Amino acid sequence: GVAPLGPISLSKDNHYQQAMLEACYRHMPHPSDAERLRHYLPRNPCPTPVYYHQSPLPHHDTIDFYLRLSTETLFFIFYYMEATKAQYMAAKALKKQSWRFHTKYMMWFQRHEEPKTITDEYEQGTYIYFDYEKWGQRKKEGFTFEYRYLEDRELQ
Amino acid sequence: DKAPGGPTHMMHSGISQAREFDDPPGLHEKTEYLLREWVNIYHSPTSGRDSTRGFSAFVQQMHQQGILRTDDLITRFFRLCTEMCVDLTYRLLQESNVSPSLLNPTLVRAKCFHTLDAFVRLITLLVKHSGDAVNSVTKINLLNKVLGIVVGVLLQDHDTRQTEYHQMPYHRIFIMLFYELNAPEHVLESINFQTLTAFTNTYHILRPSKAPGFAFAWLEVVSYRAFISRMLLHTPQQKGWPMYAQLLIDLFKFLAPFLRNVELTKSIQILYRGTLRLLLVLLHDFPEFLCDYHYGFCDVIPANCIQLRNLILSAFPRNMRLPDPFTPNLKVDMLQEINVAPRILTNFVAVMSQPFQQDLDSYLKTRAPVTFLSDLRSNLQVSNETGLTYNVPLINSVVMYVGTQAISYIHNKGGTPSMATITHSSHMDIFQNLAVDLDTEGRYLFLNAIANQLRYPNSHTHYFSCTLLYLFAEANQESIQEQITRVLLERLIVNRPHPWGLLITFIELIKNPNFKFWNHEFVHCAPEISKLFDSVARSCMGKQFN
């Protein structure tokens, strides 16, 4: 560096500031300090070798990217990344693939076949659903999907 | 605003009340009990997504405990809560220091946030529900009061703990509170501008020169995505711009003595890098903001911070297409934009004292008395200490003022600024006198003040570009020409970006044979300088000069 006007003598205040800044540098803000608490997947920075990807692929936050993910990945994002844009994108991708969210069971359902009965209040038939406790897809025959539990908000 | 009962007054009373410890007996226990209760409610799934259901029951409890009886008790309640949150943070951090293997940092933070986030939600809800729905005054006052209390506790903590001070709990409170208060809800949106004002005042009070131990968190909150977009994008009529500019000036002022001295300790380097990143974001997303406030920023950035200043001076309005400076035979005076004045949102006249400005005005008008010119140098001097001889803001102010006066003078005569029209006037007298009469230090600052106006195509850029070239052409000593070259060159040999007007001026200087640039001794004074000019000339013109 060049100081064309030459150095000036630092004031007492400046020295104090420098010392406080140096102390503050020992415990820098952590990335998680400025974001909502992540319950399941907290940030855990660690040194990664440079020959590994240091940042996600470009366009990883688009719906096209999410549509290429497996349903299990989408369920994982949905349940383990609550209240994030990722969760929103996963829900959107699941809906596009004809999964419907049941607000009472808090699980995703997909018609296995055309429902046997369809009324204004419900539909009944065989469904595939994702059980987040057993962590796998299950089949349920003769299930009644009441429409009042259908999450049907339009996701833009 | 500063009147008793106004928001600023509320904040300052909050700050001073953070130092009142004579709490009535039992209040500490009550607060502790209530805070614990609230943390449980906040984390209980039955409270609803924004804790509203749990909140009404909790307010009942606050009533029963008598907290809501007087403003004084509420204030004390918030102060005690803040202190408890902070103490908890210190305790947890201490524990993790003692047995780092048992408690990983992520877990420690999660534990801290457990309480801090709950406290923040409580503040949000109390602000939202204070007074009736349309009464924004009580809400704003409460918000300012609480922010004042947090600021007061922070400063107290900072001053007592000194180097053991920790910025995290406060950082978390500010970030989360800002996040919560900017939720898309009507009540909050109706007070959004006052919320932004309150946060700006908070951050201004906590600027790095006042709370250096908070500096890194401070830079984080100021560069926080949501904060920038609220301040510079979503607030109508650009009302957030002057507030944000003030915070940037606070940052530059703090860095100035260290950068000037090139005293770059590790911590200063990190803060400097953060500043560069913030400026890059602003240059990319809000170039007009940097354009409008470039004067105020350059006033406080030390002369040797070339790249920092180039970032600001390279900003130009997004709807503008800049002609490539390397185009052969580019006719700058043919550009439409060259007649349009840029917006300068800093009051650059204010630095001049009233009598000085009067003398200056009268000289500009009458070109007399000549003593004005001979006194000018001593008017700009403030001390005899090398490196601190001059009043830099005053030099900047005089250069800018005389320049803008000259432009309107030429316009009034029906002309446009050019190499021919800028000469032989009271304005040019002043500039030529400064170039000749000042010593090396003064001239360096003077030429820098001119070079700071060489930006995107506009009337200032054009005028000052002509002025600099004219000063070069008319110089009676080679040292002036050498210094002009130095000021231009040192701004070009750093990494990009480079301001458009700067390139234009330099290319004109080395290309136009009238300036006989290549005949000067300083161009060939040392082999590495010759080589440097060669390489600059090559990159500017695509051919070799010698």
Side-chain angles (χ1 to χ4, degrees):
Chain A
V2 186
L5 300 177
I8 44 165
S9 55
L10 292 181
S11 68
K12 216 176 125 215
D13 269 356
N14 293 148
H15 285 296
Y16 164 73
Q17 288 163 0
Q18 213 165 14
M20 286 301 281
L21 194 71
E22 207 59 36
C24 159
Y25 170 67
R26 283 188 281 118
H27 22 71
M28 291 286 265
H30 192 272
S32 64
D33 293 353
E35 56 189 25
R36 293 174 56 177
L37 192 55
R38 303 181 180 195
H39 291 282
Y40 304 106
L41 300 167
R43 275 185 193 267
N44 200 359
C46 57
T48 49
V50 284
Y51 44 84
Y52 286 131
H53 287 289
Q54 304 292 315
S55 52
L57 295 168
H59 311 297
H60 69 278
D61 52 354
T62 59
I63 189 66
D64 289 330
F65 184 91
Y66 278 80
L67 285 170
R68 291 208 299 273
L69 300 175
S70 71
T71 34
E72 185 168 338
T73 308
L74 294 175
F75 289 129
F76 176 79
I77 295 171
F78 184 83
Y79 288 109
Y80 286 88
M81 300 173 74
E82 207 189 327
T84 60
K85 187 175 178 195
Q87 188 194 39
Y88 169 83
M89 296 302 277
K92 213 166 138 166
L94 284 167
K95 280 194 176 185
K96 273 203 177 225
Q97 294 170 56
S98 308
W99 287 88
R100 297 289 171 261
F101 190 64
H102 195 291
T103 57
K104 184 178 167 197
Y105 299 122
M106 305 298 260
M107 288 181 197
W108 290 87
F109 287 75
Q110 195 183 44
R111 286 178 183 172
H112 185 60
E113 52 181 32
E114 265 306 293
K116 299 217 165 45
T117 334
I118 296 184
T119 73
D120 281 350
E121 276 87 41
Y122 65 89
E123 59 181 60
Q124 197 180 45
T126 308
Y127 293 83
I128 308 282
Y129 68 100
F130 190 84
D131 184 336
Y132 60 80
E133 277 173 341
K134 307 241 165 41
W135 201 256
Q137 293 194 16
R138 298 275 182 279
K139 193 163 43 173
K140 199 160 189 88
E141 282 165 29
F143 177 72
T144 309
F145 198 131
E146 292 183 58
Y147 289 146
R148 62 190 172 119
Y149 296 126
L150 175 69
E151 197 282 317
D152 59 355
R153 258 181 306 169
E154 202 59 57
L155 300 184
Q156 294 102 32
Chain B
D1 191 42
K2 292 208 166 68
T8 314
H9 173 82
M10 293 306 275
M11 182 171 294
H12 285 282
S13 81
I15 294 174
S16 56
Q17 278 163 329
R19 288 168 197 268
E20 287 168 16
F21 300 110
D22 50 335
D23 295 319
L27 186 66
H28 192 277
E29 292 72 17
K30 276 184 195 170
T31 307
E32 201 172 10
Y33 165 76
L34 284 169
L35 183 61
R36 197 174 306 129
E37 276 288 297
W38 173 253
V39 174
N40 288 336
I41 294 173
Y42 172 77
H43 290 284
S44 135
T46 54
S47 299
R49 210 164 51 93
D50 50 7
S51 326
T52 334
R53 247 173 293 163
F55 178 66
S56 33
F58 183 72
V59 172
Q60 283 303 315
Q61 287 201 50
M62 285 183 83
H63 264 299
Q64 278 161 17
Q65 301 287 339
I67 300 292
L68 300 177
R69 213 169 327 138
T70 63
D71 280 352
D72 178 61
L73 280 173
I74 301 173
T75 307
R76 286 172 191 279
F77 171 78
F78 279 120
R79 192 201 83 230
L80 287 166
C81 281
T82 311
E83 287 170 356
M84 283 168 193
C85 288
V86 171
D87 287 345
L88 174 87
T89 310
Y90 278 99
R91 215 163 46 236
L92 286 166
L93 290 168
Q94 206 110 54
E95 275 174 36
S96 70
N97 275 343
V98 176
S99 50
S101 53
L102 289 178
L103 286 163
N104 72 47
T106 324
L107 199 67
V108 174
R109 282 192 137 73
K111 281 188 173 183
C112 298
F113 299 165
H114 186 82
T115 305
L116 287 164
D117 292 359
F119 177 45
V120 165
R121 173 67 54 80
L122 181 62
I123 299 172
T124 310
L125 287 168
L126 286 168
V127 167
K128 250 167 72 177
H129 292 102
S130 70
D132 52 66
V134 289
N135 190 344
S136 59
V137 178
T138 31
K139 296 186 215 308
I140 298 300
N141 281 350
L142 182 62
L143 174 62
N144 278 279
K145 180 72 122 187
V146 177
L147 284 172
I149 289 164
V150 177
V151 169
V153 174
L154 188 161
L155 291 174
Q156 174 99 349
D157 188 16
H158 187 270
D159 293 349
T160 23
R161 282 206 171 88
Q162 294 281 328
T163 51
E164 294 308 305
Y165 163 83
H166 234 295
Q167 51 190 344
M168 186 263 268
Y170 308 99
H171 179 200
R172 183 69 177 180
I173 291 176
F174 291 134
I175 278 284
M176 293 314 277
L177 192 57
F178 186 83
Y179 176 80
E180 298 246 318
L181 291 172
N182 282 283
E185 284 174 55
H186 179 72
V187 203
L188 296 175
E189 273 159 14
S190 64
I191 57 166
N192 193 257
F193 182 68
Q194 290 96 321
T195 304
L196 294 180
T197 311
F199 274 91
T200 308
N201 289 339
T202 303
Y203 297 161
H204 178 62
I205 296 169
L206 296 175
R207 59 194 177 275
S209 50
K210 294 287 170 202
F214 187 64
F216 290 109
W218 187 91
L219 185 55
E220 285 260 325
V221 293
V222 167
S223 5
Y224 183 44
R225 230 169 89 105
F227 186 64
I228 295 181
S229 72
R230 281 282 167 181
M231 295 290 276
L232 300 183
L233 189 65
H234 294 304
T235 307
Q237 296 153 340
Q238 301 177 344
K239 280 202 289 180
W241 286 27
M243 301 198 284
Y244 200 76
Q246 175 62 56
L247 295 175
L248 278 187
I249 287 174
D250 289 340
L251 178 60
F252 297 143
K253 275 189 175 164
F254 173 74
L255 286 168
F258 308 110
L259 295 181
R260 180 203 155 112
N261 279 8
V262 204
E263 286 231 350
L264 304 176
T265 56
K266 191 84 187 126
S267 56
I268 291 283
Q269 281 180 44
I270 301 275
L271 201 65
Y272 174 71
R273 272 203 4 225
T275 308
L276 284 187
R277 290 180 73 146
L278 172 58
L279 278 177
L280 274 171
V281 169
L282 295 174
L283 178 63
H284 184 268
D285 289 357
F286 304 99
E288 291 89 355
F289 168 73
L290 292 184
C291 285
D292 287 357
Y293 290 93
H294 94 285
Y295 183 91
F297 298 151
C298 287
D299 225 17
V300 291
I301 294 177
N304 61 333
C305 300
I306 310 285
Q307 188 167 41
L308 201 56
R309 216 176 19 221
N310 271 357
L311 278 171
I312 292 161
L313 299 181
S314 298
F316 61 93
R318 257 169 302 190
N319 57 11
M320 200 178 264
R321 301 265 309 148
L322 303 194
D324 182 358
F326 304 111
T327 318
N329 302 319
L330 177 67
K331 292 278 176 284
V332 173
D333 34 352
M334 299 299 279
L335 296 173
Q336 270 304 310
E337 295 89 350
I338 229 67
N339 298 313
V340 184
R343 210 154 69 131
I344 307 292
L345 293 183
T346 310
N347 180 4
F348 55 84
V349 188
V351 181
M352 291 189 262
S353 72
Q354 205 67 35
F356 177 76
Q357 200 198 331
Q358 272 162 13
D359 291 350
L360 176 58
D361 278 332
S362 107
Y363 184 83
L364 288 178
K365 206 179 261 168
T366 62
R367 229 175 158 176
V370 189
T371 49
F372 175 78
L373 293 180
S374 48
D375 290 343
L376 196 51
R377 176 177 171 163
S378 59
N379 271 314
L380 299 174
Q381 272 178 344
V382 279
S383 81
N384 290 318
E385 209 180 318
T386 314
L388 285 171
T389 319
Y390 292 94
N391 181 344
V392 182
L394 185 59
I395 293 181
N396 290 339
S397 168
V398 169
V399 167
M400 191 65 169
Y401 185 71
V402 172
T404 48
Q405 292 293 312
I407 295 169
S408 45
Y409 172 75
I410 296 166
H411 277 240
N412 286 342
K413 282 204 314 188
T416 49
S418 70
M419 287 302 271
T421 54
I422 60 169
T423 61
H424 306 298
S425 66
S426 53
H427 312 89
M428 194 48 85
D429 286 352
I430 292 176
F431 287 151
Q432 280 188 299
N433 178 70
L434 286 172
V436 175
D437 198 29
L438 290 173
D439 59 3
T440 315
E441 181 185 338
R443 202 182 299 125
Y444 181 69
L445 296 168
F446 163 62
L447 295 172
N448 264 313
I450 294 180
N452 285 349
Q453 313 312 326
L454 305 177
R455 303 187 290 151
Y456 60 90
N458 64 54
S459 64
H460 292 183
T461 297
H462 188 49
Y463 173 81
F464 283 108
S465 175
C466 294
T467 300
L468 205 56
L469 293 170
Y470 181 76
L471 290 176
F472 187 95
E474 294 295 306
N476 58 359
Q477 327 154 21
E478 205 174 57
S479 59
I480 300 175
Q481 294 167 322
E482 180 175 352
Q483 235 180 340
I484 293 174
T485 310
R486 184 227 160 105
V487 165
L488 290 172
L489 190 67
E490 75 176 357
R491 291 175 185 232
L492 287 172
I493 52 174
V494 296
N495 285 330
R496 288 191 301 167
H498 304 123
W500 183 86
L502 190 73
L503 277 166
I504 288 287
T505 309
F506 190 71
I507 291 172
E508 183 66 17
L509 184 65
I510 57 174
K511 253 182 152 174
N512 190 331
N514 295 342
F515 296 112
K516 302 190 180 68
F517 181 76
W518 301 100
N519 298 346
H520 289 288
E521 206 165 311
F522 59 83
V523 179
H524 311 286
C525 65
E528 62 267 32
I529 298 285
S530 303
K531 239 190 243 163
L532 182 66
F533 277 112
D534 257 4
S535 83
V536 173
R538 247 199 316 279
S539 64
C540 285
M541 298 182 294
K543 65 174 181 180
Q544 205 157 345
F545 260 74
N546 230 327

